[in-house]
Amino acid sequence: MSGQPMPCDEAELGTLFLFEKLDAEQLARLCREGRVEKFEPGYVYQEGEPATCFFVLLEGTVVMSRRVGADDVEISRTSQRGVYAGSMQAYLSTTDQAHYKGSLRVTEPSRFFILPAETFAAVLRDWFPMAVHLLEGMFFGSQNTQRTINQRERLLALGSLSAGLTHELNNPAAAAVRATSALRDRVAHMRHKLSVIAAGPYQREALKTLIELQEATAEQVAKAPVLSPLEASDREDALTDWLDDHGIEGGWQIAPTFVQAGLDTDWLEQVAAVVDQDMLPGAVGWLNYTVETELLMNEIADSTTRVSNLVNAAKQYSQLDRAPYQVADVHELLDSTLMMLGGKIGSGIKVVKEYDRTLPRIPAYPGELNQVWTNIVDNAVSAMSSNGGEGTLTVRTALEREQLLVEFRDTGPGVPEEIRGRIFDPFFTTKPVGEGTGLGLDISWRIVVNKHHGHLEVHSVPGDTRFQVFLPLTAADPDTPANLATAADPETPQEAS
C-alpha cells in the first residue's frame, strides 16, 4: 500500500527519540534519501510481503499484528511518536530476501517517515559501524543460542526416550532369548522321545495316528481361548485327575501346559480313544513336547513382533526417513509417541485413547509435533507422580473451531492459577532443580503457534488439567512450507521506547 507523499521536515525528525542525537548533516541526509508519506486507515504492509522499508511514526495510530492460522492477532497498538517497524534488520550481512514477519496498519490518517531498506542499512553502517557489528553479533548470537537451547531440549528428550526405549526393548528381547533356550531343550527332548517311540513295538498305523494327533494338537494351540484364573485352575485340576487316573506320571506338571494350549479332558479322551493303553503315556509325553514347542514359538513370535513394533515406533517418532514437512495422520504420531514413552509413563498410569478416526490428515512437521506430544505427556506424568505415579492420561482428538484438536488430560493436582500465565515462558519450570529446563512448553508453543499457525491452550483445576493443541486442517497458503520455515524464528514488529 502506498501513501500520499508529503514534505520531509528535518526539524521534525530531530524531535523523535530515534534521531534526537543526529546532527544537521545527518538529518539532511535522512530527508534527502528518505521520504514522508501519509496513509489512510488500512494496512501499511502485510506479513509475508518483501521487507523493503523502515517506518517511523510521525503522527497517528498504528496496530501491529501477527497471523495465527487464518486470523490476524493484535500484538500492540500505539500512538507514540517515533515508534518504528518494518525492515529493522536490513543491516544484517545476509543475502536472503527478507520478508515482513508481521503486519502494520493504521486506524486513522497517519504520517510516517520512510527509509528504503538499502538506505537504512547504508546509514547504519556509515554512522554506527561498531554498533552494526555489535547488533549483528547479538542477532546471530541469539539465533545460535536459541538453536543450541532447542537442540539441548531435544537431546534431553532423546535421552529420556532412549532410556525408556532400551527398557521396552530389553523385556521382549530377554523373553525371546529365554524362549529360544527353552525351545532348544524341548526339541532335544522331543528327538529323544521320538527315538524311543520309533524303537517301541508300535504298529505303522499307530505311529501315523500319533503324527495326526500331533498336527491336530498344534492347530488347537493356535486357537487356545483366553481363560480367567478361576477357569484355568478348575481345568488344571480336572486334567491332573484324568492323567493320574490313567497312570501318567507327573500329571500336575503337564496339566498347566495343556490348559495354556486350550486342551481339556475331552481332548485327552479323544487321544485315549485312538491309541493303545500301553502307548498312552508316551503319546501324552510326546504331545506335551509338541504343545510346549508351539507355545515357545508363539512367545518368540510375540517378542520379536514387539521389538519390531518398537523399532517402527521409534522410526515413526524420529521421522528419520520422512520429509520434514508432509501430510500426516496425527493418530500415528500420537501412538508412536505413547509407545516410545511407555516406560516413562509406567504401569500406574492408565492411558485412554479417545480418537476420532474420521479426522483428515493434515499438513505438518511430524517430527516436531512428536516433540510437542512428548513435552506435554512428560509434564502430565510428572504432575501425576505426586499421586504415587498413579492416575489417568486421556488423549483425545476431535474437530473443534474448524481445527483439529489434540487434547491431553491428566488427573494430577493441576496448574495453580497464579502461575498459569507463565508456564509457556522460557526457563520457567515447577520441577525440582536438575529435572526440568523450563523450555519444553516454550518450544511446544513455538512449534504449534509459530510453525504450524495453530494454537495452544491450558485449562486446569485439581484433578483435571487439559492441554489443548489446535492445528489447521489445511496449509495457510500454497507456499506454506517456506512460510512455516521462516516463521520458526519469529521477528515481531517492535516498538522503541
Side-chain angles (χ1 to χ4, degrees):
M1 176 179 176
S2 298
Q4 174 188 352
M6 303 194 73
C8 180
D9 183 350
E10 298 172 18
E12 183 180 25
L13 292 186
T15 64
L16 302 176
F17 57 81
L18 196 60
F19 305 133
E20 61 186 0
K21 301 298 183 181
L22 301 183
D23 58 31
E25 184 179 345
Q26 291 172 322
L27 290 172
R29 179 181 176 181
L30 289 180
C31 269
R32 185 171 62 251
E33 299 185 21
R35 64 185 186 273
V36 173
E37 290 184 7
K38 183 177 182 180
F39 289 79
E40 295 301 319
Y43 282 101
V44 176
Y45 62 76
Q46 290 186 274
E47 183 174 342
E49 295 176 349
T52 58
C53 295
F54 176 71
F55 295 84
V56 183
L57 181 66
L58 296 175
E59 65 174 341
T61 301
V62 297
V63 176
M64 301 172 183
S65 61
R66 285 293 307 276
R67 186 164 56 234
V68 178
D71 303 321
D72 254 4
V73 178
E74 183 174 318
I75 303 300
S76 65
R77 178 187 298 255
T78 182
S79 299
Q80 181 181 353
R81 295 177 70 250
V83 296
Y84 54 90
S87 59
M88 294 176 293
Q89 293 176 351
Y91 61 85
L92 295 174
S93 55
T94 175
T95 58
D96 295 338
Q97 175 64 50
H99 293 78
Y100 293 122
K101 304 302 191 297
S103 299
L104 181 72
R105 62 186 175 89
V106 296
T107 58
E108 61 179 330
S110 304
R111 285 190 308 123
F112 290 91
F113 171 69
I114 304 172
L115 272 179
E118 298 81 1
T119 303
F120 175 60
V123 164
L124 281 180
R125 293 194 185 101
D126 291 346
W127 295 347
F128 314 108
M130 182 177 176
V132 168
H133 287 304
L134 290 172
L135 287 170
E136 283 187 326
M138 290 176 62
F139 178 80
F140 291 119
S142 175
Q143 281 192 326
N144 290 336
T145 299
Q146 188 62 52
R147 279 194 292 267
T148 302
I149 288 173
N150 289 353
Q151 185 65 19
R152 173 66 174 165
E153 183 70 14
R154 291 189 182 98
L155 288 173
L156 288 172
L158 181 60
S160 176
L161 288 170
S162 297
L165 181 60
T166 301
H167 174 76
E168 290 293 314
L169 286 171
N170 183 65
N171 288 339
V177 170
R178 288 194 304 270
T180 302
S181 177
L183 180 62
R184 182 177 288 110
D185 178 70
R186 297 301 184 276
V187 170
H189 282 81
M190 182 179 286
R191 288 197 301 266
H192 173 71
K193 182 68 71 174
L194 179 61
S195 65
V196 171
I197 291 175
Y202 303 120
Q203 298 297 321
R204 183 181 185 133
E205 284 302 316
L207 291 176
K208 180 181 177 183
T209 300
L210 188 58
I211 297 299
E212 290 174 350
L213 278 173
Q214 183 185 39
E215 294 297 325
T217 302
E219 292 179 5
Q220 184 70 23
V221 174
K223 303 174 184 177
V226 178
L227 302 176
S228 68
L230 181 60
E231 289 173 328
S233 178
D234 289 343
R235 186 172 290 189
E236 284 181 20
D237 291 342
L239 283 171
T240 301
D241 291 343
W242 191 97
L243 293 168
D244 291 343
D245 292 343
H246 288 75
I248 299 173
E249 296 181 359
W252 63 274
Q253 293 176 306
I254 298 174
T257 303
F258 281 178
V259 169
Q260 187 179 356
L263 307 180
D264 54 18
T265 54
D266 290 340
W267 174 81
L268 285 175
E269 291 290 352
Q270 294 176 22
V271 173
V274 295
V275 298
D276 296 336
Q277 180 62 35
D278 59 342
M279 188 180 180
L280 183 60
V284 170
W286 167 258
L287 295 177
N288 179 52
Y289 288 132
T290 299
V291 169
E292 287 184 332
T293 55
E294 288 294 321
L295 291 175
L296 287 169
M297 285 189 289
N298 287 345
E299 185 176 347
I300 293 172
D302 291 341
S303 299
T304 52
T305 299
R306 172 68 177 168
V307 170
S308 178
N309 289 339
L310 284 166
V311 171
N312 287 335
K315 193 175 178 182
Q316 168 79 327
Y317 179 87
S318 64
Q319 296 287 309
L320 288 177
D321 62 342
R322 310 288 180 88
Y325 181 84
Q326 59 180 281
V327 177
D329 183 344
V330 295
H331 302 111
E332 293 178 358
L333 305 182
L334 290 166
D335 285 342
S336 69
T337 301
L338 291 171
M339 181 173 286
M340 290 288 288
L341 290 171
K344 187 161 191 176
I345 292 174
S347 58
I349 295 176
K350 179 182 179 183
V351 177
V352 177
K353 299 177 183 178
E354 297 180 356
Y355 292 168
D356 181 355
R357 295 287 186 177
T358 65
L359 293 174
R361 298 162 68 88
I362 62 170
Y365 289 84
E368 301 201 26
L369 285 181
N370 282 339
Q371 189 179 0
V372 174
W373 315 148
T374 299
N375 292 336
I376 295 177
V377 171
D378 181 64
N379 285 343
V381 172
S382 296
M384 287 186 282
S385 65
S386 61
N387 296 332
E390 296 186 350
T392 301
L393 173 66
T394 303
V395 184
R396 181 173 72 94
T397 63
L399 181 64
E400 289 190 17
R401 308 179 196 173
E402 299 184 352
Q403 292 182 306
L404 191 151
L405 165 67
V406 180
E407 179 184 82
F408 300 85
R409 177 183 177 186
D410 70 72
T411 56
V415 182
E417 187 175 356
E418 60 270 20
I419 66 169
R420 206 169 297 162
R422 301 178 58 199
I423 60 175
F424 295 108
D425 292 349
F427 305 107
F428 179 79
T429 180
T430 58
K431 295 180 181 178
V433 175
E435 293 186 17
T437 62
L439 295 172
L441 291 180
D442 169 56
I443 291 174
S444 299
W445 175 272
R446 290 172 180 270
I447 291 172
V448 172
V449 177
N450 296 334
K451 201 152 191 177
H452 288 85
H453 301 306
H455 190 53
L456 186 57
E457 296 180 3
V458 59
H459 306 276
S460 182
V461 295
D464 185 1
T465 297
R466 306 184 186 197
F467 279 86
Q468 297 179 324
V469 178
F470 291 90
L471 298 169
L473 298 177
T474 57
D477 44 55
D479 61 341
T480 294
N483 281 354
L484 290 182
T486 300
D489 184 23
E491 174 199 342
T492 55
Q494 298 179 12
E495 173 181 307
S497 59

